[in-house]
Amino acid sequence: MHPAFSVIFLTTLIGVGQGLFLALYSGQIYSVLEVLPPQDDRLFYGLGSGLALVFLALGLVASVFHLGRPERAWRSASQWRTSWLSREVIVLPAFMGLTFLYGGLHYLGWDPVLGTVGEGIAIHLTLIVGALATLACFALFLATGMIYACIRFLQEWATPLTVVNFVLLGGASGFTAAAAFAAWTAPALTTFFGGWAIILTLLALATRGTTLIRNARIKHKSTPQTAIGVRHAQIRQTAQGAMGGSFNTREFFHGRTAAFLRSVKWVMLVLVFAVPVVLLALGLTVASGTTLVLALLVQYLGLLAERWLFFAQARHPQNIYYQAV
Amino acid sequence: MTQLALIIDLNVCVGCSACVTSCKEWNTSGLAGPMTDRNPYDADPTGTFFNRVQTFEVGAYPHTETVHFPKSCLHCEEPPCVPVCPTGASYKRPEDGIVLVDYDKCIGCKYCSWACPYGAREIDEQQKVMKKCTLCVDRIYDESLPERERKPSCVLACPTNARLFGDVHDPESEVSVLIREEGGYQLMPEWGTKPANHYLPRRKTRLRIHDDELVRVDNPLKKEAPRPRPALDEPSLDDVTSW
């Protein structure tokens, strides 16, 4: 497939936003359970949710560039019964709304206690809103991943690993962002977020690595034989019905060499996993916020390469019809 | 239930691309148009086509055969492009099984083209909406045309009758009979899309010529022997006649 930068930015940016929100909310739950010290509502949760919203909004803006007719984008929410894209279009604004509500309630301090559970654990309004937002957050991960995973003949994508990778990579980059953010606003939580960022990054390395191995060994179901229905071992295309290019040659080919793809793979592995883990560990030991910000920047750059590779590695069966000019 | 479709006889197609040009001509000025061409006279010409004839070489030299392979939207009975459309612009008509795009609803997200394993959909670079074969839906129901012309324009244009049009769900229709009797098949059956368009396979034709077919055994007049020719020094016709 041809990697579209609008979609690369969309999926990576909302991933950071979603992960950052999950980090904030898990911080709040831990502090309710008195595992972690409570944080300033306004500075930490309010500002943090605002930061997550910025990432989500940037992703939303990027997605518009993928459309031929963005002025009709509002129509894209109508087919939620069948289309994962339609579901994403609904869940993304819903999640943004809930994040806004969560951050807004914290920022304004409107956080009445709705009841208590067990040994005096107060259930605040923000806990409920945050739980709803968490649901929406995972629904969004599911929708974004399933957009790709549901196309069964793009065999590189058609695996549950696609959704798992989106969740773990979004979580890893989000927790890295949270660690960097906490270094200034809530130093007591930096180790918590940074530690989870390292764990999530390593988990993502395991699943993304599995995907890489799987894709390298994939056996494609469609062959020139099934594509034109001729049973012969040797089929070679001599003409594709157009002397120049066409939509089919632009949209489904990345136009790079195998060597370029291999180098992107190693760049991705180094920038998403190796360097951020080292920087996170370093940032946590010397308590340096700048190092954590650097970890986020490097990881995000790596994620751009990761998503580029995700698209470029997917080989669409229609390419069988476009082997030669 | 009606399911209109094209049947393409690979045994007959000669790859002349008459179906491609007639398709472009009819549809660019009709319901589905314009089918824009970009840089038609420049270095990178590109354009929107609903139908293309591709050529494959089967076998190893010198034992090769050329297969001309026309491909347009196959109007699948389980079209994977329809459920993924976020706006409902892509739909399959229940009454005749034609898969169409509502150009006023399409947002040009290209998702349906990703979901089509056959690469049958192309985005129009000018209108920025997805376009595809309509089976000439504006032609086949046009009562102002004579009955025999109510067919897709590619079918009418084909000089070798390699393309046939009809209802593949009607067991008595010409196309159903051909699919049944000639072994008509679908493309990429492994994905369960059940394309309505079928292809008729190439039949091997071999001409076996034996020596006794070339030379008659009983040939009393030696008709096939070389004609008698006078030698150069013998008198020719000009020498024995006076003008």
Side-chain angles (χ1 to χ4, degrees), chain A residues 72 83 147 153 222 236 316, chain B residues 57 84 106 111 114-115 190:
Chain A
R72 297 176 186 164
S83 173
I147 286 176
F153 38 80
S222 288
R236 187 175 69 87
H316 200 286
Chain B
E57 186 185 74
V84 301
C106 178
Y111 194 23
W114 294 6
E190 63 270 24

Side-chain angles (χ1 to χ4, degrees), chain A:
Chain A
M1 300 289 293
H2 173 77
F5 273 96
S6 47
V7 184
I8 292 175
F9 279 111
L10 163 73
T11 53
T12 49
L13 283 169
I14 63 173
V16 179
Q18 285 167 273
L20 181 54
F21 168 79
L22 289 178
L24 295 178
Y25 188 61
S26 54
Q28 188 184 1
I29 290 190
Y30 273 62
S31 67
V32 168
L33 298 173
E34 293 173 359
V35 181
L36 289 171
Q39 295 304 320
D40 182 58
D41 268 355
R42 214 166 175 175
L43 186 66
F44 183 69
Y45 294 110
L47 209 62
S49 304
L51 198 62
L53 272 176
V54 169
F55 280 112
L56 294 167
L58 285 174
L60 193 61
V61 170
S63 73
V64 170
F65 289 98
H66 192 61
L67 303 183
R69 305 295 288 259
E71 75 277 12
R72 297 176 186 164
W74 59 273
R75 284 186 181 277
S76 58
S78 67
Q79 301 301 307
W80 52 271
R81 284 184 203 83
T82 59
S83 173
W84 282 105
L85 181 54
S86 202
R87 289 170 197 164
E88 187 194 36
V89 165
I90 295 168
V91 178
L92 177 54
F95 174 56
M96 288 176 75
L98 285 167
T99 308
F100 180 77
L101 197 63
Y102 177 78
L105 288 174
H106 271 299
Y107 191 80
L108 298 172
W110 293 347
D111 200 7
V113 176
L114 301 177
T116 52
V117 179
E119 297 164 20
I121 296 172
I123 301 299
H124 287 269
L125 176 60
T126 50
L127 271 183
I128 306 289
V129 175
L132 292 176
T134 306
L135 271 181
C137 180
F138 279 105
L140 180 56
F141 271 131
L142 182 69
T144 313
M146 280 307 287
I147 286 176
Y148 306 99
C150 78
I151 305 178
R152 59 187 184 281
F153 38 80
L154 271 163
Q155 287 172 260
E156 285 85 353
W157 292 352
T159 157
L161 280 171
T162 303
V163 180
V164 172
N165 285 336
F166 274 51
V167 174
L168 288 179
L169 288 167
S173 56
F175 271 78
T176 310
F181 175 66
W184 276 276
T185 52
L189 297 190
T190 315
T191 322
F192 168 69
F193 290 139
W196 274 106
I198 292 174
I199 292 170
L200 287 170
T201 304
L202 292 176
L203 276 177
L205 173 64
T207 60
R208 189 68 176 93
T210 311
T211 311
L212 284 178
I213 294 167
R214 174 185 179 272
N215 287 354
R217 304 167 60 92
I218 223 159
K219 189 174 182 326
H220 285 267
K221 279 191 192 171
S222 288
T223 57
Q225 284 73 25
T226 67
I228 67 168
V230 174
R231 286 192 203 88
H232 194 289
Q234 267 179 300
I235 297 177
R236 187 175 69 87
Q237 186 163 30
T238 53
Q240 61 173 12
M243 286 195 292
S246 64
F247 172 74
N248 302 76
T249 58
R250 287 190 299 272
E251 182 71 10
F252 299 98
F253 290 92
H254 51 79
R256 304 291 176 157
T257 58
F260 184 82
L261 245 67
R262 268 197 304 279
S263 52
V264 171
K265 181 180 81 181
W266 287 110
V267 166
M268 177 274 271
L269 287 172
V270 169
L271 292 188
V272 179
F273 305 106
V275 178
V277 167
V278 172
L279 286 176
L280 278 166
L282 193 71
L284 295 183
T285 43
V286 300
S288 152
T290 330
T291 316
L292 295 175
V293 171
L294 197 64
L296 175 65
L297 288 178
V298 170
Q299 191 164 46
Y300 185 74
L301 260 181
L303 278 178
L304 293 181
E306 187 273 331
R307 229 26 70 82
W308 189 94
L309 188 73
F310 171 74
F311 279 95
Q313 272 199 333
R315 276 169 289 177
H316 200 286
Q318 77 101 40
N319 293 1
I320 296 170
Y321 297 109
Y322 294 89
Q323 299 290 321
V325 174

Side-chain angles (χ1 to χ4, degrees), chain B residues 33-169:
Chain B
M35 287 157 68
T36 321
D37 284 320
R38 282 280 168 100
N39 308 325
Y41 308 107
D42 286 335
D44 284 314
T46 181
T48 315
F49 285 83
F50 295 169
N51 181 27
R52 292 178 194 272
V53 179
Q54 300 173 333
T55 306
F56 293 86
E57 186 185 74
V58 177
Y61 179 83
H63 305 292
T64 57
E65 273 193 54
T66 302
V67 177
H68 297 293
F69 185 81
K71 181 169 65 70
S72 53
C73 171
L74 306 167
H75 298 279
C76 300
E77 298 194 34
E78 302 287 341
C81 54
V82 169
V84 301
C85 176
T87 66
S90 202
Y91 63 103
K92 186 174 177 70
R93 304 212 313 182
E95 65 268 30
D96 53 15
I98 301 180
V99 178
L100 289 176
V101 179
D102 184 338
Y103 303 133
D104 293 332
K105 281 189 185 167
C106 178
I107 55 171
C109 68
K110 302 175 195 152
Y111 194 23
C112 59
S113 75
W114 294 6
C116 171
Y118 307 101
R121 294 169 159 258
E122 300 189 9
I123 205 156
D124 187 289
E125 295 291 333
Q126 184 178 320
Q127 278 186 297
K128 299 284 182 198
V129 294
M130 199 49 81
K131 293 195 171 174
K132 60 178 283 302
C133 162
T134 65
L135 226 50
C136 286
V137 54
D138 50 346
R139 232 198 126 89
I140 57 179
Y141 294 109
D142 189 349
E143 303 212 335
S144 66
L145 291 171
E147 179 94 38
R148 61 181 192 83
E149 283 184 26
R150 289 180 210 161
K151 288 177 178 176
S153 67
C154 57
V155 173
L156 293 171
C158 182
T160 60
N161 232 7
R163 301 176 80 97
L164 298 134
F165 170 68
D167 176 11
V168 291
H169 278 188

